[in-house]
Amino acid sequence: DIQMTQSPSSLSASVGDRVTITCRASQSITRYLNWYQQKPGKPPKLLIYGASSLQSGVPSRFSGSGSGTDFTLTITSLQPEDFATYYCQQSQSTPYTFGQGTNLEIK
Amino acid sequence: QVLLQQSGPGLVRPSQTLSLTCTISGDSVSSNSAVWTWIRQSPSRGLEWLGRTYYRSKWYSDSAASVSSRTTINPDTSKNQFSLQLNSVTPEDSAVYYCVRLVGSSWFDSWGQGILVTVSS
């Protein structure tokens, strides 16, 4: 199975900050990498697919980049509604696997 | 807009069978482009893909090796649903279970509301 490792596991930031979350795959997944946001009591919500494509309806302050084994999710100008947990997920091969999550908290 | 509505019990006894159903609105379980999946989430295991069913001229189903010997995922075209059965459950199977649509080059774009299933006597 492909292992996905996110860093950091938790992050404190302020409204208006720019933050970056990193995801590393245990082997090359080309650009088969997706990002999700999850708030307490809710299912994950798709933000980015194919490493850098923005899902319809997602604000443009979210962006993704990377290929191979190293990927990043960047949020520019954090808004109050962005404080949540973020997950990466590989879709190169089954079993599809997720990172352990990055909890973004208000500083 | 696709809506996935999950149903099933929140409590299952150890060694029994966990059975969940997902009703699809706004798409078809027989779609040639969608894949219908089950994912669970627990504090100890995180988000875990369990398996899928999909139609590509014929029906296919498969599941993760970690649960494949205990798992059945089936479509029900008459009700536009798909289901999960997990046999011989233990407390380690306690989790929030989601039904999810997978599209494109495999991203999960529509999620059910989730059902918390507790395995306990």
Side-chain angles (χ1 to χ4, degrees):
Chain A
D1 299 0
I2 299 174
Q3 306 302 315
M4 307 301 293
T5 303
Q6 288 180 233
S7 61
S9 296
S10 62
L11 176 60
S12 294
S14 301
V15 172
D17 284 354
R18 171 189 174 105
V19 299
T20 298
I21 299 169
T22 297
C23 179
R24 175 165 289 176
S26 60
Q27 65 188 71
S28 177
I29 56 172
T30 58
R31 294 178 62 82
Y32 290 100
L33 189 285
N34 310 309
W35 289 97
Y36 302 84
Q37 175 194 68
Q38 187 176 31
K39 296 182 179 179
K42 300 293 187 181
K45 171 189 173 183
L46 178 67
L47 298 176
I48 302 285
Y49 61 91
S52 62
S53 296
L54 195 66
Q55 171 70 346
S56 175
V58 175
S60 59
R61 62 182 179 271
F62 291 91
S63 64
S65 65
S67 65
T69 60
D70 295 317
F71 301 86
T72 59
L73 171 70
T74 299
I75 313 171
T76 58
S77 189
L78 273 171
Q79 299 301 299
E81 62 268 28
D82 298 338
F83 293 94
T85 302
Y86 293 84
Y87 295 94
C88 61
Q89 173 249 326
Q90 66 82 16
S91 55
Q92 167 80 18
S93 61
T94 59
Y96 302 123
T97 47
F98 293 81
Q100 82 279 14
T102 295
N103 184 26
L104 177 56
E105 301 174 320
I106 299 175
K107 184 182 290 183
Chain B
Q1 179 186 5
V2 177
L3 291 176
L4 303 178
Q5 181 67 38
Q6 299 176 227
S7 58
L11 178 65
V12 182
R13 304 301 183 191
S15 79
Q16 299 301 302
T17 296
L18 181 161
S19 296
L20 298 175
T21 298
C22 185
T23 301
I24 303 163
S25 302
D27 199 350
S28 170
V29 71
S30 303
S31 165
N32 276 299
S33 58
V35 176
W36 305 100
T37 69
W38 289 97
I39 291 172
R40 68 183 178 184
Q41 184 174 29
S42 64
S44 60
R45 303 171 75 97
L47 286 159
E48 181 182 15
W49 176 83
L50 296 177
R52 61 185 176 177
T53 189
Y54 57 100
Y55 184 76
R56 299 290 185 271
S57 302
K58 69 175 185 177
W59 286 102
Y60 297 86
S61 296
D62 64 351
S63 53
S66 59
V67 295
S68 62
S69 63
R70 302 190 289 131
T71 301
T72 302
I73 297 174
N74 283 329
D76 183 339
T77 58
S78 66
K79 297 179 180 179
N80 206 28
Q81 297 174 338
F82 65 108
S83 63
L84 168 71
Q85 288 195 324
L86 182 64
N87 302 326
S88 304
V89 297
T90 72
E92 289 193 353
D93 293 311
S94 297
V96 176
Y97 286 75
Y98 294 103
C99 61
V100 192
R101 185 179 76 165
L102 182 146
V103 296
S105 297
S106 303
W107 52 86
F108 300 111
D109 76 328
S110 299
W111 295 66
Q113 80 275 21
I115 290 182
L116 173 61
V117 178
T118 301
V119 178
S120 175
S121 55

